[in-house]
Every structure is written in structure tokens, then in C-alpha cells.
Amino acid sequence: MKKILLLTSGGDAPGMNAAIRAVVRSSHYHKLEIFACHNGYQGLVDHDIFPMQPSDVTGCIQYGGTILRSSRCRAFYEKETRQKVKEFLANKGIDGLVIIGGDGSFRGAALLESEGGPKCIGIPATIDNDIRGTEYTLGFDTARNTALAAIDKIRDTAHSSNRYFIVEVMGRRAGFLAVDAGIAGGAEYIITPEFPVSIEKLAKQINAPKREKKSLIIIVAEAGKPGISLEIVKKLRDLTPFEYRVCVLGHTQRGGSPTVMDREIGSRMGNLAVNSLLDGKTNAITAMQKGRLTLAPFPDPDAPCRQLETSDLLNLSEVLAT
Ligand code: ADP
């Protein structure tokens, strides 16, 4: 292993820059040549790669997003395109590829490697925390803190004006963001795709005469349908006598200065990715399992995304909301 190439692909997430910095500096430490490209796989398709120096990553760790920029590259789905990329990388002497991204990006990497491309290690990054094989993905902690900060602000006005709010958080088809932000924000109800509740039942609870609280916050996971909270509020307006305000947090959750956790885990995952390539390991992602950093095989491309396995936190929120 002499030359490594680094890229960020798919949806961006806070903490990607910490991982970029760690890959560049760890490579330099081990006297590897490190290259990068802009805009994910599009940069490879465009043959637009450049060397990285340790000074190129100075001052980036505190920023969200990715200094290498990211994109979704349709051409990379084509085998013919990947063949050309493979030849290009072989001509440049690239032996290893580090891909910071989500499960789609890892699917592309696994295909490139199986078709004779360089050895690949992925670093999981998505605010949704829904990648199989790892209990943590970069960006999740920053996103749940961003959602929490918004819920806290909404709580101030909800409480002062006796208002009912529905706050929609991201998470794709998983409820990780919703349960964590909901518990920490003291939400009265949390709705996730894994443990759906009937709106009729929810309306009954809201209508219950013993309810003493004058304000209310319901956290709704987007559940693969951004804007789903608008459908929910329509039904609740029909079934309860209350007025609701809806706040869709949307892409605010994707940005912002990364938390300690995202910077620290990003740094550790970046370092592990380089060490793994040096040790001859490949076809894997850096993964958090039972609190320990390790490697896991690239996620099965046919398996659904990771989702909440227990309703423990939902049950807790019900107890604490009384
Ligand atoms: P994420 O990595 O965040 O899940 P995407 O699913 O959009 O985001 O994937 C990012 C990029 O990875 C795609 O634009 C494409 O270039 C590449 N990719 C995704 N799936 C495949 C696939 N099945 N075959 C080849 N490349 C893929």
C-alpha cells in the first residue's frame, strides 16, 4: 500500500471533515501518498484527483459539511463507467480507496473493488444512524443536538402560549433521531416508523380529560416521507379540538459545527481506515460495535437499513410524559 485516494460521497454529514483530516494526517504519518477528489465518484469519473498535504486539512475540523464536497453520481451505477475509473486509478498507482459516505456509496465501492478496483474501506457518515453493521454513523450526534436545540426553543413558546406543536425530524426510515431528540427534549409523544401508532389512539390520549398540561410537543420521524407531519396534523385537527403548529426541521439537521462525539469518532474512524488498509484489510467499513471501534463487512446491499430494535425509549417517553 503506497497510494491512497479519499472521497466523500452521497449525503453530507457533520464530522466528515474530522475523518478527512484524520485520513490525510494518518497517511502522512505512515509515509503513504494521499490523494483526494471533489464531488464523490463524479471526481473519479472526471479524472480530477489531486494530492493532499497535511496543511490542506488545517482548520477544517470545526466545520459541518465536507471540504471535499459530495455528490450523487448517476454514471457510477454503470459498469462501463466503473471500468474506466478502475483503469484510471490503476494508471495512477492508487492501491487503496477510503470512501466517507452512506450505504449507497459503499455499494458503489464494493462493486468497484469486486471488479478489480483498489482495496476499499468505508467510513459511515449519515445523520440518520441507519447503516447496518455499525451502531454509530458520523453526523448523528450533531444532528440530534441540533434537533434538541430546536425542540428546546419550541418548548419555550409552546409553554408560554399553551400551544401544541408537531416537530418533524429527519432519519430516513429509522427513528433513531426522533427517539433521542424526543427523550432529551421531554416530548410528550414520539412517532417512529418502527413502532407506528394509530392517530386515532394518539387523539384519544390527547383528548383525555386527565391531561393537565396545556402545551404539548409531538416528535415525528420523517419515516421516508418528508412532510409526513402535515398529514398527521390534518388528522389530529379532525379528531381533537386543538390547534397545532408544525415545524419541519429539515436540512438544518444536516449542517452545523460537529459535536465532540462526531469530531472524536470521525478522527478515530479516519485513522482506523488508514491502518486497516496498511494491514491489508479491505471490503469493510469502520464500525462502532458495543462501544468499540472495529471493522465490519460492507453492508449487504439487499438488506434493509438499520432501524430501532426496541421500543424501550418510546415506553420511557410515555412514562415521563405523564
Ligand atoms: P449515500 O451514500 O449517502 O447512501 P447514495 O445512495 O445517493 O448516498 O449513493 C451515493 C453514490 O454512490 C451514488 O450517487 C452513486 O454514485 C454511488 N452508488 C450508490 N449505489 C450504487 C450502486 N448500486 N452501484 C454503483 N454505485 C452506486
Side-chain angles (χ1 to χ4, degrees), residues 102-133:
D103 41 15
S105 304
F106 301 151
R107 246 172 263 144
L111 284 172
L112 181 67
E113 181 166 352
S114 70
E115 292 160 3
K119 297 189 174 0
C120 294
I121 295 282
I123 297 178
T126 161
I127 65 162
D128 308 317
N129 205 20
D130 63 349
I131 296 180
R132 283 195 173 271

Side-chain angles (χ1 to χ4, degrees), residues 97-160:
L97 191 57
V98 177
I99 309 97
I100 306 173
D103 41 15
S105 304
F106 301 151
R107 246 172 263 144
L111 284 172
L112 181 67
E113 181 166 352
S114 70
E115 292 160 3
K119 297 189 174 0
C120 294
I121 295 282
I123 297 178
T126 161
I127 65 162
D128 308 317
N129 205 20
D130 63 349
I131 296 180
R132 283 195 173 271
T134 180
E135 287 150 16
Y136 193 78
T137 62
L138 297 182
F140 176 63
D141 188 52
T142 306
R144 66 185 169 180
N145 277 291
T146 300
L148 176 63
I151 294 164
D152 285 348
K153 287 174 182 147
I154 287 169
R155 171 78 62 197
D156 289 345
T157 171
H159 191 63
S160 305

Side-chain angles (χ1 to χ4, degrees), residues 9-11 41 71-74 76-77 82 101-105 107-108 111 172:
S9 167
Y41 293 121
S71 77
R72 296 201 151 94
C73 170
R74 291 229 61 81
F76 206 71
Y77 287 86
R82 293 195 301 273
D103 41 15
S105 304
R107 246 172 263 144
L111 284 172
R172 268 201 307 190

Side-chain angles (χ1 to χ4, degrees), residues 8-320:
T8 49
S9 167
D12 59 284
M16 279 184 159
N17 285 330
I20 292 171
R21 175 176 175 270
V23 170
V24 170
R25 298 232 165 127
S26 302
S27 300
H28 184 77
Y29 180 87
H30 290 293
K31 305 199 172 4
L32 291 166
E33 276 187 80
I34 172 81
F35 292 79
C37 68
H38 285 138
N39 301 318
Y41 293 121
Q42 190 61 49
L44 296 186
V45 172
D46 296 341
H47 295 185
D48 184 16
I49 72 170
F50 46 86
M52 294 285 283
Q53 304 302 332
S55 58
D56 293 331
V57 290
T58 298
C60 74
I61 197 168
Q62 70 268 40
Y63 295 112
T66 154
I67 57 168
L68 293 178
R69 300 198 294 275
S70 188
S71 77
R72 296 201 151 94
C73 170
R74 291 229 61 81
F76 206 71
Y77 287 86
E78 309 297 331
K79 187 167 181 186
E80 207 185 319
T81 306
R82 293 195 301 273
Q83 283 299 320
K84 286 187 189 150
V85 164
K86 184 189 88 175
E87 283 158 26
F88 167 70
L89 293 175
N91 283 338
K92 293 282 176 192
I94 303 289
D95 323 285
L97 191 57
V98 177
I99 309 97
I100 306 173
D103 41 15
S105 304
F106 301 151
R107 246 172 263 144
L111 284 172
L112 181 67
E113 181 166 352
S114 70
E115 292 160 3
K119 297 189 174 0
C120 294
I121 295 282
I123 297 178
T126 161
I127 65 162
D128 308 317
N129 205 20
D130 63 349
I131 296 180
R132 283 195 173 271
T134 180
E135 287 150 16
Y136 193 78
T137 62
L138 297 182
F140 176 63
D141 188 52
T142 306
R144 66 185 169 180
N145 277 291
T146 300
L148 176 63
I151 294 164
D152 285 348
K153 287 174 182 147
I154 287 169
R155 171 78 62 197
D156 289 345
T157 171
H159 191 63
S160 305
S161 353
N162 295 336
R163 281 224 165 102
Y164 285 20
F165 272 89
I166 299 185
V167 181
E168 181 178 314
V169 300
M170 281 185 158
R172 268 201 307 190
R173 293 182 191 286
F176 296 106
L177 260 183
V179 288
D180 284 9
I183 286 284
E188 276 72 18
Y189 300 103
I190 304 172
I191 304 180
T192 66
E194 296 90 339
F195 301 97
V197 287
S198 92
I199 303 301
E200 287 71 21
K201 190 176 157 206
L202 180 63
K204 240 187 211 161
Q205 287 172 311
I206 294 173
N207 282 332
K210 65 178 168 66
R211 239 194 83 77
E212 281 167 14
K213 289 185 184 173
K214 298 276 179 288
S215 65
L216 177 83
I217 293 186
I218 304 172
I219 303 297
V220 175
E222 67 181 2
K225 284 192 214 156
I228 192 174
S229 50
L230 298 167
E231 289 171 29
I232 292 174
V233 78
K234 243 190 197 165
K235 291 186 190 155
L236 281 180
R237 280 184 181 135
D238 287 343
L239 296 168
T240 67
F242 306 108
E243 185 44 51
Y244 298 84
R245 296 285 191 276
V246 176
C247 181
V248 180
L249 299 185
H251 282 75
T252 57
Q253 298 157 100
R254 283 266 287 267
S257 183
T259 57
V260 170
M261 190 165 173
D262 278 321
R263 295 184 202 197
E264 191 211 299
I265 297 180
S267 301
R268 290 170 62 200
M269 285 188 168
N271 178 251
L272 177 62
V274 172
N275 291 344
S276 302
L277 284 172
L278 279 170
D279 288 348
K281 298 193 178 115
T282 179
N283 229 312
I285 58 169
T286 58
M288 193 62 80
Q289 291 179 350
K290 298 197 168 82
R292 290 179 59 118
L293 200 56
T294 180
L295 288 183
F298 273 133
D300 176 353
D302 299 321
C305 68
R306 194 171 84 94
Q307 289 191 303
L308 287 174
E309 280 171 9
T310 76
S311 58
D312 290 357
L313 285 177
L314 296 171
N315 300 340
L316 175 63
S317 89
E318 214 170 310
V319 171
L320 300 183

